Amino acid sequence: MEEEKHHHHLFHHKDKAEEGPVDYEKETKHHKHLEQIGKLGAVAAGAYALHEKHEAKKDPEHAHKHKIEEEIAAAAAVGAGGFAFHEHHEKKDAKKEQKKAEGGHHHLF
């Protein structure tokens, strides 16, 4: 008989019951790392957009191409910034969950 093949899909996640206990410190570090990558991507794409803006002025023969590339890089910078912002909030949520799991402070008022 043929064994069952397990396919690993990009967005296939295990059930919560299969995962076991959550390591909140590891999760916080993971989101912090992704936040930093997002920031780096935003800075790099922004720098490239400025470079293409300069090239458009410097090379009037191909200015249209440079302006298009500038706009694409600017959009990528905005996207990367949004990703960094999202990961920042995921990191904050992981920290809140860690405090809740450890029996953190109860706010009465």
Side-chain angles (χ1 to χ4, degrees), residues 6-48:
H6 295 282
H7 296 282
H8 298 282
H9 296 286
L10 181 62
F11 297 110
H12 180 76
H13 298 285
K14 294 180 182 178
D15 291 337
K16 293 282 184 192
E18 294 177 22
E19 290 179 2
V22 178
D23 185 355
Y24 291 106
E25 188 174 330
K26 185 176 179 182
E27 188 175 340
T28 301
K29 284 182 181 181
H30 173 72
H31 289 298
K32 181 180 180 182
H33 179 72
L34 290 178
E35 178 186 357
Q36 291 172 341
I37 288 173
K39 287 178 182 179
L40 180 64
V43 169
Y48 187 71

Side-chain angles (χ1 to χ4, degrees), residues 77-97:
V78 169
F83 177 73
F85 183 74
H86 165 76
E87 287 300 325
H88 176 73
H89 284 280
E90 289 291 318
K91 180 181 71 174
K92 283 174 55 176
D93 290 345
K95 284 183 178 180
K96 281 182 186 177
E97 289 294 321

